[in-house]
């Protein structure tokens, strides 16, 4: 659940959740009191839980309003169970429901339900989560059937399926969360649905629930639903609440807690899950519930008071409250059930009985519903919860059967649960508490609970409690991972040293959490297990719970379910408390969840749950006065929370986004906008705002091809680049080093989008360097860049490079069209330029194969024109010799060839002409021999080319320096020597 | 066009246009369809329709009102917009809309079994090219990047794909090919022609001769020009001669265009045109070149090239003409040989380099020994002169039989 919350809301976002929660809570709170009144007795805790769930989960009021708007019929149905029957679905389903229930429970665990009405709804959702969902719904309907209220339920169910479901389903966002199916749907609906159905549900469930639900609780439906829901929850906290509501119908029925509270739906779901885990406990709970339900039904109007109590209890108990709840009856049952799987077998029976009871109760529930609705939303809520409860029992029985399965699925669902709790901050908190409590009772050994309680008992102050909870979470998590959770002797386990409060206080800084803490203490005094300490701890524990939730949504959820069932009233209170704290945490958890799905949290939550259970026990023991006090408190809370929740609503998403962003490297500027809008056209990006401004002051920088957005810290600004260029120009190092440096300069220029004289200069220098060493690839890059830079009007050695361009087209590409277009574009000024004229003359020489002219031009080439011609010289020589061999007879002196073919040209500069010529001769002779020419010496001893003999023997030798990849400058040895630089 | 147009009249005109369009499609009346698609002809009817559309803001509603029109809505809606945009000289938008309409029309055409609308496709292909050219002209004059012609090229490639299969529609492929050629030559992306040419020339199932004459001539003209670029003169000669032979004699502009390339090609093959041909088709820029060839006057050739450098460079024959220099040298040597034969028949086959240099000097061309030796070597090498060069004595020794072989349609040897 934590995870979900986190996903939904970033840490900071908790306020949003709170807002939601608050609204919900208000409703809930009102409902709570009601529930409280009815349940007053032992049932209270349960009620309280339910209420709290509902409250937490979603404002019953808001939901109510929604319901009214959305589903008038539902309202009616809710109001009057009989009217509910008017909802054909509801009525029909009622009868069927029972049957369906049975079938559900028996056959489908989760899927069966889903199949009934849900399948359609959840085409997508059909998967386990869906199934469970569906089941809940089915259960809902069935429950509704049994109950008159069921009619309303059915309505709700039907509505949910039809209207509400569609809504939810439609909501794409919701959908996104796989687990969230229902939740999403629900969430959408929820707003409406939850209001109506939920409220009604909650009321009903509560009344009915307590009895049946307890059993149901633990088990099955809840678990199933929870599992399904959980995913949803995770993603959509808000939705969750709704989802829960929708689920609630089914789930509620199944899991009392879930169903009981509209909001609690979420919690209920969680409960359900928890129940699944702890399905065993449910039976006992069921027993407790029934009484509660009975009381609930009657009191609905009154419940508000009780509810309030529940709130208080929640607050106080938060974590511990759960324990208390459990302790009364449910706890023991839970424990037992959890311990002994046999409980499962019992479940069905119990459930059945519960069903019957629930049915019986249902009629009442409807009444209560009507009453409650009319009177107060809270009352309705309570009634709803009651109704749900009854259904839950059935579901529970079913669930119990399928619980094992559900449990399997549950792990996945857990995250969802967490999220569920998130959506409804209140609910969440409640859920969290519930999860804690439920988890603890169901999953964790008693001894562990005792351990936790002991640990918390010595805590002074909320901060310490929170800290110890955190520590315990870790311990339990470790134990779970170790597998020693159940084998370890927790009674003998030494307590960990008290954590530093200061650190803790930071954690619980959120105002809401503080509030919770403050309130929680009051309750704790009453809690059996750990009177004062627990109270404090409860406040603290909620945060922990949340954390726990984060860690393991599952266990928490299950725990919640259990708690909800057992301690519904208390849990509610706890939930309320927890929510605020948990909200913040949840946000974090959600965020975390987004990235990682929690797995370990279960253990932690379980421990917390144990605490909670103790609290719940306390709640059970509360006197009427206390309840009233609690009611008033809870009301206050609700308001306060409402504000928080409002804030939270807005913030969570934003915060979440912000969080996500912060996680990313600043360099990924581009990716952010993309994330924001989902998709963004490249052309929409404001490149100016993304242009890097370098801050690097290093003059020397190796070139590295960028594989990501540039980091300003490694990019040199223009002034530094100028220095770098100077450094390269004056460097005595080889070309590879210079090339590397120049490329890095070019890169920095490009990255900063600097296009000015410096850019031109860099490219010109690099192009010249490349030409000198014959690095055509690099030269071409520079040349093409220069071409665009020149056309942009940036001054440079335009003519020089025009000549280079002409020459390279003439000598390398041989593309007639390119040459023609280049020539036709030459301005008359350009044609007067020496370099360009030279290039044009070379072109003429080449096209006419005038080798004499070519090598004369070669010798007189300005700039680096000769460098380009260099590459063509050999070809030209070969052609010339071929030509000479064909045309000249009988011989041609090598000296002449050496002269006209430019072999002596390198010597021209030196003083010793003779040597030069001779050098040229030797070179020429060697070249001629290498190309297969026949050399003879005449009478005077001068070397002669035997043209006739050579005409047939000339060939082009393989270049000696050929490299496999065709670029000698990249030869390995050269590369290695250059590498160190 | 009426200075003032009433709403009713405007509606009537638009409806008239829509009606005609729909009817022509229904009755497969290509003639009337063509006229309705010809945007750039500035026909009074279309102009009136354009004015009407400007007046009636909801022209599209008229299309949707009637089922008769709405079937063709994908064509008509953008078409009306194109007509309107063209009228107000918004050529870029007109092109855009027309391409949309053309695309829809081509899709319709693809679904028709018969090729009755082939002529309409021709019109579409033509209009799309002309519109794109005009739009680009306007865009570049406004400082925007002209890219419509490029878009038209890719659109016509699609049309070509629709037509190039088997069946009666294939006849239209060559027309589209020619439009593509025009675009590619204009854009300077002639390398893109290759794929189209391959698809035309490798189709065994369809004889080239079955294409319409008009398209064949155009096709041969462009492919001949491509061969000029490739300096494959025999192939260029073949294609351009084919084009000339099949070209409608009354289309003098077309004949001139063909001759513009055919003459240099023929010259490089050693075949000189008569003067009246140059005069008739106003190709006098070649006359000096031809004179230079006849006289062996290198200076005249160089002057002629210099004079018309821009024109020759743009048409792409500059390099071809430049290569005629060797033939001028050959002519020069031949003249020297003839003179020597008159003076000294016995030693006529021995040409001294100094004589050649002296002759060039008369032409005000300064060349030293090495250069002239090089030229002579190249002439011998290229089979323009039979004989050998004695380096020691600096003498060209000519073959006694046919020392200056004529090219007569064959390219210079290498």
């Amino acid at each position: 659940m934590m995870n979900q919350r986190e996903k939904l809301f970033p840490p900071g976002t908790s306020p949003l959740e709170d807002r939601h929660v608050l609204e919900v809570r208000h409703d809930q709170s009102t409902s709570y009191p009601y529930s409280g009144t009815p349940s007053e007795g032992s049932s209270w805790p349960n009620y309280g839980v339910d209420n709290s769930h509902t409250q937490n989960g979603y404002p019953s009021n808001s939901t109510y309003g929604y319901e009214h708007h959305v589903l008038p019929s539902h309202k009616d149905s809710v109001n009057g169970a009989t009217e509910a029957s008017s909802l054909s679905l509801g009525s029909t389903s009622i009868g069927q429901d029972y049957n369906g229930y049975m079938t559900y429970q028996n056959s489908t665990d989760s899927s069966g339900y889903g199949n009934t009405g849900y399948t359609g709804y959840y085409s997508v959702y059909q998967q386990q989560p869906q199934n469970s969902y569906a089941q809940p719904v089915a259960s809902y309907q069935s429950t509704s059937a049994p109950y008159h209220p069921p009619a309303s339920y059915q309505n709700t169910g039907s509505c949910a399926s039809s209207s509400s479901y569609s809504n939810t389903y439609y909501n794409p966002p919701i959908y996104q969360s796989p687990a969230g199916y229902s939740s999403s749907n629900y969430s959408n609906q929820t707003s409406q649905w939850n209001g109506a159905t939920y409220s009604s549900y909650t009321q009903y469930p509560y009344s009915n629930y307590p009895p049946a639900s307890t059993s149901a609780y633990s088990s099955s439906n809840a678990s199933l639903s929870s599992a399904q829901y959980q995913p949803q929850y995770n993603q959509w906290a808000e939705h969750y609440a709704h989802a829960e509501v929708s689920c609630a119908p089914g789930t509620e029925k199944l899991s009392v807690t879930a169903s009981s509270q509209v909001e609690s739906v979420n919690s209920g779901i969680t409960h359900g899950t928890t129940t699944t885990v702890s399905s065993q406990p449910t039976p006992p709970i069921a027993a407790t519930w029934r009484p509660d339900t009975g009381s609930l039904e009657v009191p609905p109007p009154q419940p508000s008071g009780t509810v309030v109590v529940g709130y208080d209890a929640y607050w106080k108990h938060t974590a511990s409250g759960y324990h208390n709840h459990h302790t009364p009856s449910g706890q023991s049952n839970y424990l037992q059930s959890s311990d002994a799987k046999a409980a499962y077998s019992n479940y069905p029976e119990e459930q059945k009985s519960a069903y019957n009871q629930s049915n019986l109760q249902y009629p009442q529930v409807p009444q209560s519903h009507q009453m409650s609705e009319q009177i107060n939303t809270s009352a309705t809520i309570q009634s709803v919860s009651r109704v749900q409860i009854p259904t839950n029992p059935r579901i529970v029985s079913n669930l119990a059967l399928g619980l094992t399965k559900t449990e399997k699925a549950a792990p996945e669902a857990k995250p969802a649960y967490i999220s569920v709790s998130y959506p409804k901050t209140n609910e969440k908190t409640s859920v969290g508490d519930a999860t804690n409590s439920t988890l603890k009772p169901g999953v964790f050994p008693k001894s562990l609970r005792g351990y936790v309680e002991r640990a918390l008992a010595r805590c002074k102050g909320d901060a310490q409690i929170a800290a110890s909870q955190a520590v315990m979470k870790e311990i339990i998590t470790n134990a779970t991972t170790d597998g020693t959770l159940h084998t370890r002797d927790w009674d003998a386990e030494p307590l960990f040293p008290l954590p530093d409060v200061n650190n803790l206080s930071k954690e619980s800084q959120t105002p809401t959490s503080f509030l919770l803490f403050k309130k929680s203490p009051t309750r704790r005094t009453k809690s059996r297990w750990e009177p004062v300490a627990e109270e404090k701890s409860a406040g603290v524990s909620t945060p922990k719970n949340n954390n726990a939730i984060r860690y393991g949504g599952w266990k928490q959820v299950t725990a919640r379910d259990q708690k909800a069932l057992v301690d519904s009233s208390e849990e509610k209170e706890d939930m309320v408390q927890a929510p605020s704290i948990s909200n913040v945490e949840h946000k974090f958890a959600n965020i975390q969840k987004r990235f990682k799905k929690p797995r370990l949290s279960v253990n932690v939550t379980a421990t917390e749950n144990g605490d909670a259970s103790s609290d719940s026990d306390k709640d059970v023991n509360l006197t009427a006065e206390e309840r009233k006090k609690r009611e008033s408190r809870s009301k206050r809370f609700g308001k306060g929370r409402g504000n928080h929740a409002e804030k939270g609503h807005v913030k969570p998403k934003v915060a979440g986004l912000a969080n996500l962003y912060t996680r990313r490297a600043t360099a990924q500027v581009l990716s952010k906008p993309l994330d924001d809008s989902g998709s963004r056209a490249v052309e929409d990006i404001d490149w100016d705002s993304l242009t890097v401004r370098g801050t690097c002051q290093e003059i020397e920088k190796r070139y590295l091809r960028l594989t990501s957005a540039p980091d300003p810290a490694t990019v040199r600004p223009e002034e530094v680049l100028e220095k770098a260029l100077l450094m390269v120009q004056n460097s005595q190092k080889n070309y590879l080093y210079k090339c590397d440096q120049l490329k890095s300069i070019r890169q920095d220029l490009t990255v900063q989008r600097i296009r000015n004289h410096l850019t031109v200069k860099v490219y010109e220098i690099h192009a010249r360097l490349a030409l000198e060493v014959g690095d055509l690839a690099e030269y071409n890059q520079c040349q093409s860049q220069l071409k665009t830079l020149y056309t942009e009007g940036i001054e440079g050695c335009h003519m020089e490079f025009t000549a280079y361009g002409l020459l390279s087209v003439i000598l390398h590409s041989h593309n007639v069209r390119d040459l023609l277009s280049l020539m036709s574009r030459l301005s008359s000024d350009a044609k007067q330029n020496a370099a360009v004229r030279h290039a044009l003359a070379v072109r003429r020489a080449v096209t006419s194969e005038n080798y004499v002219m070519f090598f004369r031009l070669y010798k007189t080439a300005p700039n680096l024109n000769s460098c380009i011609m260099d590459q063509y010289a050999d070809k030209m020589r070969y052609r010339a010799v071929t030509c000479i061999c064909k045309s000249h007879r009988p011989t041609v002196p090598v000296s002449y060839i050496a002269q006209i073919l430019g072999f002596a040209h390198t010597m021209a500069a030196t003083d010793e002409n003779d040597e030069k010529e001779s050098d040229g001769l030797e070179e020429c002779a060697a070249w001629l021999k290498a190309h297969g020419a026949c050399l003879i010496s005449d009478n005077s001893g001068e070397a002669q080319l035997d043209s006739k003999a050579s005409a047939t023997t000339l060939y082009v030798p393989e270049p000696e320096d050929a490299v496999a990849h065709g670029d000698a400058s990249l030869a390995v040895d050269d590369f290695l020597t250059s590498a160190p630089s | 066009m009426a200075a003032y147009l009433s709403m009713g009249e405007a509606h009537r005109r638009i409806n008239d246009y829509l009606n005609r369009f729909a009817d022509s499609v229904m009755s497969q009346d290509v003639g009337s369809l063509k006229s309705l698609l010809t945007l750039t002809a500035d026909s009074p009817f279309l102009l009136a329709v354009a004015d009407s559309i400007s007046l009636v803001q909801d022209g599209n509603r008229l299309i949707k009102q009637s089922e008769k029109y709405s079937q063709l809505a994908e064509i008509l809606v953008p078409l009306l917009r194109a007509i309107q945009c063209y009228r107000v000289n918004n050529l870029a938008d007109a092109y855009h809309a027309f391409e949309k309409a053309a695309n829809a029309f081509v899709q319709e055409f693809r679904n028709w079994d018969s090729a009755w609308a082939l002529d309409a496709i021709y019109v579409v292909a033509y209009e799309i090219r002309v519109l794109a050219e005009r739009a680009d002209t306007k865009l570049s004059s406004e400082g925007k990047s002209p890219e419509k012609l490029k878009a038209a090229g890719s659109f016509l490639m699609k049309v070509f794909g629709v037509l190039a299969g088997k069946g009666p529609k294939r006849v239209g492929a060559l027309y589209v090919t020619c439009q593509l050629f025009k675009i590619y030559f204009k854009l300077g992306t002639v390398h893109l022609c290759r794929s189209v040419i391959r698809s035309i020339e490798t189709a065994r199932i369809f004889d080239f001769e079955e294409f319409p004459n008009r398209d064949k001539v155009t096709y041969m003209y462009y492919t001949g020009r491509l061969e000029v670029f490739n300096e494959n003169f025999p192939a260029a000669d073949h294609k351009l001669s084919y084009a000339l032979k099949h070209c409608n004699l009354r289309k003098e502009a077309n004949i001139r265009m063909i001759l513009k390339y055919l003459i240099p090609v023929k010259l490089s093959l050693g075949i000189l045109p008569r003067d009246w041909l140059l005069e008739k088709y106003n190709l006098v820029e070649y006359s000096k070149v031809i004179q230079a060839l006849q006289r062996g006057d290198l200076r005249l050739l160089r002057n002629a090239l210099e004079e018309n450098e821009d024109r020759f460079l743009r048409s792409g024959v500059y390099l071809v003409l430049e290569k005629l220099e060797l033939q001028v040298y050959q002519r020069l040597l031949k003249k020297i040989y003839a003179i020597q034969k008159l003076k000294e028949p016995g030693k006529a086959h021995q040409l001294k380099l100094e004589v050649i240099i002296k002759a060039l000097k008369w032409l005000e061309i300064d060349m030293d020994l090495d250069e002239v030796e090089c030229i002579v070597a190249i002439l011998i090498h290229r089979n323009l002169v039979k004989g050998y060069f004695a380096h020691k004595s600096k003498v060209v020794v000519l073959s006694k039989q046919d020392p200056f072989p004529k090219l007569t349609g064959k390219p210079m040897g290498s």
Side-chain angles (χ1 to χ4, degrees), chain A residues 816-817 819-821 823-824 826 831 843-844 847-853 856 879 882-884 886-893 896 899-900 938 944, chain B residues 185 188 190 229 231 302 309-310 313-314 316 318-319 322-323 325 368 370-371 373-378 380-383 387-391 394 414:
Chain A
V816 173
R817 272 197 59 84
L819 179 57
L820 282 171
S821 67
M823 287 174 66
S824 63
L826 285 177
K831 284 174 188 166
R843 180 204 60 76
R844 191 186 302 265
T847 50
S848 64
E849 295 188 25
N850 191 329
Y851 46 86
V852 173
M853 180 71 74
R856 281 184 185 168
R879 284 192 185 185
T882 318
C883 181
I884 289 168
K886 193 177 176 191
S887 57
H888 288 62
R889 290 291 184 275
T891 59
V892 182
Y896 169 76
Q899 180 224 320
I900 61 167
D938 63 358
Q944 302 279 343
Chain B
F185 272 83
V190 291
F229 286 137
E231 301 191 336
R302 289 187 176 179
E309 184 177 303
D310 281 347
L313 278 175
R314 263 186 278 111
Y318 183 87
L319 297 181
E322 197 184 49
K323 286 191 173 177
E325 239 182 44
D368 62 19
D370 284 350
E371 274 186 88
E373 184 179 335
C374 175
I375 298 291
V376 170
I378 293 169
I380 297 170
H381 181 61
R382 291 290 183 98
N383 272 335
Y388 65 88
F389 183 79
H391 178 73
K394 304 288 182 192
S414 57

Side-chain angles (χ1 to χ4, degrees), chain A residues 505-522:
Chain A
S505 61
K506 293 177 183 175
E507 294 181 0
S508 59
Q509 283 176 351
T510 21
T512 52
S513 64
F514 279 113
L515 291 174
L516 295 174
F517 285 114
K518 291 175 181 176
K519 291 184 179 179
S520 62
T522 55

Side-chain angles (χ1 to χ4, degrees), chain A residues 586-661:
Chain A
H586 283 300
K587 294 173 183 177
F588 284 102
N590 288 333
I591 296 168
Q592 292 178 355
K593 285 180 179 179
R594 290 182 182 175
F595 297 93
K596 299 174 182 178
K597 293 184 179 180
R599 293 182 183 177
L600 301 175
S601 58
V602 175
N603 296 330
V604 177
T605 54
T607 54
E608 292 176 357
N609 290 335
D611 294 341
S613 64
S614 65
D615 284 355
S616 65
D617 290 345
K618 297 173 186 175
D619 286 353
V620 174
N621 295 332
L622 293 176
T623 62
E625 291 181 359
E626 287 176 349
R627 284 178 189 167
K628 288 180 181 177
K629 289 180 182 176
R630 288 186 182 182
E631 279 186 2
S632 62
R633 273 187 225 146
S634 66
K635 286 179 181 175
R636 271 184 275 138
F637 246 138
K639 292 177 183 177
R641 287 192 179 178
N643 296 332
H644 286 293
E646 289 176 0
K647 291 178 184 176
H649 266 306
V650 181
K651 290 180 182 178
K653 292 178 181 178
V654 178
L657 286 175
N659 227 329
L660 286 176
Y661 289 129

